[in-house]
Amino acid sequence: MESPRRCTIATTGDKTRLGDETMSEGVPDAPEQGPLAYENPEFLNSPDGRMLRIMAEYQEPMSRFRRERIQDTVVFFGSARFRALDVANSELELLANTGSAQPAPKDEQPARPAEIESGEASGLKLKLAEAAVEMAQYYEDARTLAGMVASWAKTLPGRRHRFVVTSGGGPGIMEAANRGAYEVGAKTIGLNIQLPFEQHPNPYITPGLSFDFHYFFMRKYWFAYLAKALVVFPGGFGTLDEMFELLTLAQTKKLAKKITVVIYGSEYWKNVLNLKLLAEKGAIAVGDLELFRFADTPEEAFAMLKTGLTENHLESDYEREQQRLETERVPAEPAPNAQEMMGPDITKTR
């Protein structure tokens, strides 16, 4: 067995030698004080900090939802590119991309009234002009429907906010949904996403309920987790993605609740998708077609939503018991955080 090595220290003149290493007499300069881990942007934004970023996009929204007493939501999906009807009639302008604040290129813009009158508009621009006004009507319908849902939800008993109108936080149909709820004095949620190009949350979101996400999957989690109903207005890739994700969760019974899905604008959607063909070809079960219903007016859609939400989430024995307990334990005002609740018993850290 090899005997342990001994380390010898020898002193020669003004040098101290440890093994083969030599250092000057005295104390070396102290290193600069490093940043606290949670204040170190280099670490937090690195691959090693990814788990903390993901956890933050779960816990920070959770704390705000609890503080604002949000119990559940009705989610509106739809295109970010549609404008309000009054805007479409005058400006007829399409946005460059989902969430973008910049307009699309000139050759992709709908024809203006002057271009139509002079006969200078191309066939494509004429079609886009007609479609812009048609799609703007969906904006107005989403605005009306959201107002109807929010007005009804405000009449429900309990101290938590029920069936809060929620959108992706951007322009277009998302803005219309938040706007409809805002106009009747209800809270409304925006789950925005950071994108490579300029984009901003719309102005109708309740300030304390405007969220900004980096990760698409965390944003989708919050869409699904609180939702008791989903309204799908005409849209593009993002709308299709979000709709099918929630339909898949319902189809596979991964949701621990019943969710009412209303697909708005049957003519649009039946031209875009042949969902019935999926069942005819055996790709989905015939019963899967009952996971959603089509609607073509705000009144029709609201009736479907009200019936589904009432039967699935307001009339059950469990729900009635929860409402009774809620009256006893839920404060009338937003819940205080631990520091506010405990006061001087907990010393605030800096």
Side-chain angles (χ1 to χ4, degrees), residues 145 152 229 260-264 292-312:
L145 176 58
W152 170 65
T260 301
V261 179
V262 176
I263 300 178
Y264 196 95
F292 55 86
R293 296 180 65 185
F294 287 100
D296 290 302
T297 66
E299 293 75 18
E300 185 181 14
F302 176 65
M304 294 175 184
L305 291 170
K306 184 177 179 180
T307 298
L309 292 169
T310 300
E311 291 178 354
N312 296 330

Side-chain angles (χ1 to χ4, degrees), residues 64 131 152 247:
R64 276 204 266 169
W152 170 65
L247 283 176

Side-chain angles (χ1 to χ4, degrees), residues 226-293:
L226 295 177
K228 295 293 175 60
L230 170 66
V231 188
V232 186
F233 274 80
F237 291 159
T239 303
L240 288 166
D241 171 55
E242 291 155 343
M243 174 176 71
F244 280 119
E245 185 137 30
L246 280 172
L247 283 176
T248 301
L249 290 173
Q251 177 200 46
T252 55
K253 304 191 185 304
K254 291 293 287 182
L255 295 174
K257 59 190 173 186
K258 290 185 178 179
I259 187 167
T260 301
V261 179
V262 176
I263 300 178
Y264 196 95
S266 59
E267 182 180 359
Y268 176 91
W269 284 114
K270 288 179 180 179
N271 276 288
V272 173
L273 299 168
N274 189 346
L275 297 173
K276 189 176 179 182
L277 183 65
L278 295 176
E280 291 174 353
K281 297 298 184 181
I284 62 173
V286 174
D288 289 337
L289 295 174
E290 298 176 6
L291 293 172
F292 55 86
R293 296 180 65 185

Side-chain angles (χ1 to χ4, degrees), residues 37 80 89 101 110 130 132 146 155 167 181 200 202-203 209 242 256:
N89 278 323
E130 182 180 346
T155 68
S167 82
H200 304 283
N202 69 68
L209 294 170
E242 291 155 343

Side-chain angles (χ1 to χ4, degrees), residues 14-310:
D14 61 349
K15 300 290 184 181
T16 299
R17 194 155 54 90
L18 177 60
D20 291 332
E21 296 178 5
T22 302
M23 62 180 181
S24 300
E25 285 185 341
V27 179
D29 293 337
E32 292 184 9
Q33 185 173 355
L36 294 169
Y38 59 83
E39 292 182 344
N40 183 346
E42 184 178 351
F43 166 68
L44 290 176
N45 293 302
S46 71
D48 288 332
R50 182 176 292 119
M51 182 55 67
L52 298 179
R53 298 196 299 273
I54 292 170
M55 290 174 64
E57 292 202 347
Y58 168 79
Q59 193 60 41
E60 194 270 347
M62 176 70 82
S63 67
R64 276 204 266 169
F65 285 133
R66 284 176 173 165
R67 182 168 177 79
E68 295 291 332
R69 295 169 295 126
I70 306 300
Q71 181 164 336
D72 40 31
T73 62
V74 174
V75 175
F76 283 65
F77 289 145
S79 177
R81 304 184 79 199
F82 302 156
R83 299 297 186 100
L85 188 57
D86 56 345
V87 175
N89 278 323
S90 59
E91 294 184 17
L92 292 174
E93 183 179 70
L94 289 177
L95 299 178
N97 207 331
T98 300
S100 174
Q102 300 300 317
K106 278 189 175 182
D107 59 347
E108 295 181 20
Q109 291 291 351
R112 303 269 178 165
E115 292 178 297
I116 297 173
E117 291 175 7
S118 65
E120 296 175 358
S122 66
L124 173 61
K125 291 176 74 69
L126 286 172
K127 285 185 177 180
L128 288 172
E130 182 180 346
V133 176
E134 178 190 352
M135 295 297 105
Q137 186 59 54
Y138 288 121
Y139 179 107
E140 299 302 330
D141 287 356
R143 177 180 171 186
T144 300
L145 176 58
M148 296 169 76
V149 171
S151 295
W152 170 65
K154 287 174 63 178
T155 68
L156 299 176
R159 291 178 177 174
R160 288 192 177 95
H161 298 281
R162 303 302 309 268
F163 312 137
V164 180
V165 170
T166 300
S167 82
I173 295 299
M174 295 177 282
E175 177 187 286
N178 293 129
R179 183 176 180 179
Y182 169 85
E183 288 171 338
V184 299
K187 287 184 180 290
T188 182
I189 299 167
L191 305 180
N192 214 341
I193 185 75
Q194 289 186 347
L195 296 172
F197 36 80
E198 184 182 6
Q199 49 84 38
H200 304 283
N202 69 68
Y204 301 104
I205 304 166
T206 301
L209 294 170
S210 179
F211 299 87
D212 205 9
F213 291 88
H214 173 75
Y215 296 105
F216 260 112
F217 69 89
M218 287 308 304
R219 180 188 188 226
K220 288 180 177 181
Y221 170 85
W222 283 114
F223 274 135
Y225 185 67
L226 295 177
K228 295 293 175 60
L230 170 66
V231 188
V232 186
F233 274 80
F237 291 159
T239 303
L240 288 166
D241 171 55
E242 291 155 343
M243 174 176 71
F244 280 119
E245 185 137 30
L246 280 172
L247 283 176
T248 301
L249 290 173
Q251 177 200 46
T252 55
K253 304 191 185 304
K254 291 293 287 182
L255 295 174
K257 59 190 173 186
K258 290 185 178 179
I259 187 167
T260 301
V261 179
V262 176
I263 300 178
Y264 196 95
S266 59
E267 182 180 359
Y268 176 91
W269 284 114
K270 288 179 180 179
N271 276 288
V272 173
L273 299 168
N274 189 346
L275 297 173
K276 189 176 179 182
L277 183 65
L278 295 176
E280 291 174 353
K281 297 298 184 181
I284 62 173
V286 174
D288 289 337
L289 295 174
E290 298 176 6
L291 293 172
F292 55 86
R293 296 180 65 185
F294 287 100
D296 290 302
T297 66
E299 293 75 18
E300 185 181 14
F302 176 65
M304 294 175 184
L305 291 170
K306 184 177 179 180
T307 298
L309 292 169
T310 300

